[in-house]
Amino acid sequence: DQVPAGTAPLVQVSIQGEPDQVFLKTAKETVELILKDKVWEGRLPIALDTPEGVFAFTVIAKQGQGQIDKKAQLIVNPEAPALEVTLSSPVKPTETLTLDVLTYFEAVAFNITNELGLVFDIQGSNGVYHAEVVVPEGTLDKIYPFSIEVSSSLGANFKQDATFRVLVVE
């Protein structure tokens, strides 16, 4: 996988057997994973100052006095996408415009701008966010620009531009 610095991709580890603890260890820190539905998961923080290239980490599974280590890696690439934005479009006036945002990090803030001044109440967690807003009656038939800037808990800001269409049928 490729991710930009300032993200924290979700890592899921499936292990045969029943370990007591599973960790991700990097050169800077150790992150304990949580067991959810027979899969260990947690976020691997990639600091803002992480250089471009291979980012190595180790998965450590402990059971009693025993321990198994497995080396893993991902690529830090500033050009890699950090989020994916989907808008339901076209939409008619008085209908609901939906916004779905998937991120490779836990988002702490959203800044949305659009020509209509629509206010999106974004809900969600763990990299999956959703919002709905009703398009006002009388909105003109055209393609509207949309921009979202999302802040990660590691202090990075990621921006994506998109468009949505309001369709007036007479």
Side-chain angles (χ1 to χ4, degrees), residues 104-126:
Y104 288 107
F105 54 89
E106 192 67 33
V108 294
F110 297 89
N111 183 21
I112 296 174
T113 56
N114 62 86
E115 195 174 298
L116 290 176
L118 299 174
V119 177
F120 291 83
D121 180 22
I122 297 179
Q123 302 294 319
S125 64
N126 209 18

Side-chain angles (χ1 to χ4, degrees), residues 8-27:
L10 183 66
V11 176
Q12 296 179 316
V13 179
S14 296
I15 300 175
Q16 292 180 344
E18 297 180 16
D20 301 321
Q21 293 177 302
V22 178
F23 299 93
L24 303 177
K25 183 170 177 46
T26 69

Side-chain angles (χ1 to χ4, degrees), residues 57-74:
F57 62 98
T58 304
V59 178
I60 302 169
K62 292 184 177 184
Q63 184 175 11
Q65 298 299 319
Q67 175 176 314
I68 296 174
D69 297 1
K70 179 169 170 70
K71 295 195 181 297
Q73 65 185 24
L74 53 79

